[in-house]
Amino acid sequence: MDAPTTTSADGDRSGDSSGGGSRSAGWFGASPQHHRDGQRDGRQDGRQDGHRDAEGRIPGRAFTQIRPVGSGAGRSRTAPDSPAQVPAQWQGPAQAAAPAPAPAAPPAPEDTSDVGLLRRTMAEIEPIADKVTSHFYSLLFLRHPDLRALFPAAMDTQRDRLFKALLTAATHADDTATLAAYLSHLGRGHRKYGTLPEHYPAVGECLIGALSRYAPRSWGPRTESAWVAAYTTISQIMIDAAAEDALRAPASWRAEVVAHDMRTPDVAVVTVRPDQPYPFLAGQYTALETPWWPRIWRHYSFAGAPRSDGLLSFHVKAVPAGWVSNALVHRARPGHVIRLGPPAGSMTVDHSTDNGLLCLGGGTGIAPIKALVEDVAQHGRHRSVQVFYGARRDHDLYDIETMLRMQQSHPWLSVRPVIDDGPGGGLGARLPEAVYEYGPWHTFDAYLSGPPGMIRRGVDTLVDIGIPAHRIRHDSIEELVGARN
C-alpha cells in the first residue's frame, strides 16, 4: 500500500519528493510491460473485470488467505520474576514492626481488542521502522523474486512507505468509513503499477514475517490472528475497488507533452494532451511517470480546472535528487510522452454552499489554488475567494502575474502575496500568520496546498480563528497523522 503525502525536497505538494516521503508509489512500483499490455488489451474488449453478479456487484477477485512466514506464534513472553521475599525470621525488629505499604493502584486495563493488538505492535516497531521495512522487502524479494520487477530500480525512497501506510491504517482501524475510503483509493491507484490479486498473499506473508520478528514483546497467537484478519480485510477492499474501477477507467493514460514553459530556472509549467478523456475535479492531483525513469511515480496537482480542449497543466519545481521533477523540468519537451495515473484528492469546491474560499498556497502549491479559482469562475456564482500566495523571495512568485490578471477579471477575488524573506524562515513560515491580519473567516471554507510544515501551521491557525476542522481541506494526510503520533 502507499500512503498519501505532499512532501518534496522543497516541501510543495506539486513538486517531486525524491528527497523525502512520497505519495507516489506504494508497495508496488509500475507494472512490467507484459502487465501493461494485458491491461490495455483488457480495456479494448470490454474491461477485463467488468462482469457483475446477480445483485449487480463487481465480483472482485477473491483474496487468498495468507500463510504466515516465520510468524513466531509459538513465542511466549515470560514475566520477570518478582523480587524474592525476605523470610520473617531474618527480619530485624524495625523491619518486623514497619507498617505494611499502602496497596498500589491497580493498573489500567490493557486493551486486548484486535485494534488494541494492532496498535501495540505498531508502537513496538515504530522506533525500528527501518529494520522492519528492510526485513520485509528482503523476505519479499527472496521468496518471490518475480515481484521485484514491479518495484522501481532504486528503493531509497520506497523503504518507509510500508510503515507509513500501516501507521495510517492502524490509526484508523476503528474508523470504518475513513479506512474504507483510504484503502479504496489505494486499490484504484495500484492498478497503474500492475498489481494483481494474486500478489497480495505474498505481501501479507512477508509482512507477518517481518512484524513477528521485530515485535516479540507484543507478538503471540492472538496478535498474529488480528494481523492476518486485518490484512485480509485490507486486501479485499483494495481488490474490490480495483475491479470496480476497471469498469470505467483505464489503469493509466498516455499523455503527450504539447507545451513546456520555463517560469524560473527551476520551475516549469508542463502541459499535456491525454490519449483519451481524463475526468477530474479542480483541486485534485495525479501521479506522473516519465520515460526516463520507469516505475518511479510522483504526484502533481492539476494547475487548472477541466478544459474543453482536454489539456492538462502541471507546475513542476526541480528539486535536488528529484528524478521525476528534474526530468520534467530539464528534459521533457513537446512530443515526449509521459504516463498519468488516475485522479485523486478531496481538496475540491463544495458548490452546494455560498461559503467563501480562503486559500493558502505556498510555492508550486499555488497550482491547485489557481484551479479552484477557475472552478468558481466557471460555475458563475460570485463567492468571495481570498488567496494568500506564499514564497521565499519575490522572484519565486512565478505565477503572480497570472493570479493578478484573474483578480482584475473577477471582483470577488483577492490575491495577497506573502514573502518569507526573514532569517531562518522556511517556505510558508509567515503565510498562516498573515491570515490573522484579515478576516473574519467564520463563513469561509479553507484550502491549503504547499509544504507540510506550512499546512500544519495553517491548520492550527485556522482552527484558532474559528474555522471548524471539517471545513479545512488539504491533501497532506500522513504528515499530520505522523505529527500527532
Side-chain angles (χ1 to χ4, degrees):
M1 300 184 297
D2 67 9
T5 174
T6 63
T7 55
S8 70
D10 183 59
D12 297 345
R13 180 183 60 188
S14 300
D16 190 297
S17 54
S18 296
S22 171
R23 185 168 32 184
S24 58
W27 287 353
F28 302 98
S31 62
Q33 187 62 44
H34 68 275
H35 286 308
R36 291 200 294 267
D37 293 342
Q39 291 167 345
R40 192 177 302 115
D41 293 340
R43 295 197 299 274
Q44 297 297 329
D45 80 34
R47 307 282 192 256
Q48 56 207 20
D49 294 319
H51 302 289
R52 297 179 180 267
D53 60 19
E55 299 180 8
R57 296 176 300 187
I58 304 301
R61 297 278 295 280
F63 172 71
T64 303
Q65 186 69 280
I66 66 176
R67 173 180 57 81
V69 176
S71 66
R75 295 190 186 124
S76 62
R77 181 175 51 172
T78 302
D81 294 334
S82 59
Q85 300 298 316
V86 180
Q89 62 270 28
W90 292 356
Q91 297 179 2
Q95 291 175 310
E110 189 175 42
D111 184 358
T112 58
S113 67
D114 280 2
V115 172
L117 295 174
L118 299 180
R119 289 175 175 167
R120 284 173 57 195
T121 305
M122 293 302 300
E124 184 174 355
I125 68 173
E126 185 170 10
I128 52 171
D130 289 344
K131 291 182 178 180
V132 180
T133 53
S134 178
H135 188 64
F136 162 77
Y137 286 117
S138 296
L139 284 177
L140 186 65
F141 297 153
L142 178 64
R143 295 176 180 271
H144 305 279
D146 54 307
L147 296 184
R148 184 62 180 89
L150 299 179
F151 291 81
M155 295 287 291
D156 54 341
T157 60
Q158 179 80 24
R159 304 185 69 83
D160 64 346
R161 291 174 188 147
L162 168 61
F163 185 72
K164 286 186 176 180
L166 287 175
L167 180 61
T168 302
T171 300
H172 298 291
D174 52 358
D175 184 348
T176 304
T178 299
L179 187 60
Y182 172 60
L183 295 174
S184 295
H185 162 68
L186 292 183
R188 291 188 294 269
H190 276 58
R191 292 182 60 216
K192 68 180 178 290
Y193 305 138
T195 308
L196 302 175
E198 51 265 33
H199 295 151
Y200 285 88
V203 172
E205 292 169 5
C206 298
L207 169 62
I208 297 299
L211 293 177
S212 64
R213 174 169 179 172
Y214 285 97
R217 294 194 304 276
S218 59
W219 203 259
R222 284 205 58 231
T223 301
E224 180 177 297
S225 177
W227 275 101
V228 169
Y231 182 78
T232 301
T233 300
I234 287 170
S235 300
Q236 196 63 61
I237 293 174
M238 294 177 66
I239 290 169
D240 289 346
E244 178 76 30
D245 190 59
L247 289 176
R248 56 179 178 265
S252 63
W253 287 254
R254 290 169 58 83
E256 179 184 358
V257 177
V258 297
H260 188 278
D261 178 19
M262 293 294 297
R263 295 294 183 86
T264 74
D266 57 0
V267 173
V269 176
V270 182
T271 303
V272 303
R273 178 185 292 111
D275 61 348
Q276 49 190 307
Y278 189 99
F280 73 99
L281 299 174
Q284 290 189 305
Y285 60 87
T286 188
L288 303 184
E289 180 202 49
T290 71
W292 300 283
W293 299 108
R295 302 189 300 280
I296 296 179
W297 297 77
R298 296 292 182 266
H299 282 84
Y300 296 90
S301 296
F302 300 103
R307 296 167 45 163
S308 58
D309 59 10
L311 298 182
L312 310 172
S313 292
F314 305 94
H315 293 186
V316 184
K317 178 180 177 64
V319 298
W323 294 3
V324 175
S325 68
N326 278 285
L328 289 172
V329 172
H330 299 302
R331 298 185 66 172
R333 293 295 180 269
H336 288 141
V337 176
I338 64 176
R339 276 211 302 160
L340 308 176
S346 59
M347 203 180 76
T348 56
V349 176
D350 181 358
H351 291 288
S352 66
T353 78
D354 292 321
N355 292 344
L357 274 65
L358 171 59
C359 304
L360 282 66
T364 52
I366 196 64
I369 302 302
K370 176 175 175 287
L372 296 177
V373 173
E374 291 182 359
D375 191 33
V376 172
Q378 290 177 3
H379 278 75
R381 298 177 63 181
H382 293 177
R383 306 165 60 176
S384 176
V385 179
Q386 306 292 315
V387 175
F388 290 81
Y389 182 4
R392 286 191 175 94
R393 295 165 294 274
D394 285 335
H395 69 268
D396 291 325
L397 295 170
Y398 65 90
D399 212 33
I400 189 63
E401 295 300 327
T402 300
M403 299 302 298
L404 292 178
R405 284 196 299 270
M406 296 175 72
Q407 179 179 248
Q408 292 176 350
S409 302
H410 306 301
W412 41 264
L413 172 64
S414 176
V415 178
R416 299 181 179 92
V418 180
I419 304 300
D420 294 326
D421 55 1
L427 176 57
R430 288 195 59 245
L431 196 54
E433 287 76 6
V435 177
Y436 272 119
E437 302 174 16
Y438 301 88
W441 305 112
H442 61 276
T443 61
F444 283 70
D445 293 334
Y447 298 81
L448 301 92
S449 178
M454 185 211 85
I455 293 178
R456 283 191 291 268
R457 289 190 296 270
V459 169
D460 291 341
T461 298
L462 297 175
V463 170
D464 287 345
I465 62 180
I467 299 181
H470 70 273
R471 282 171 36 205
I472 301 174
R473 301 192 180 190
H474 56 81
D475 285 314
S476 180
I477 297 176
E478 97 300 342
E479 278 86 5
L480 301 182
V481 170
R484 287 196 300 267
N485 289 275

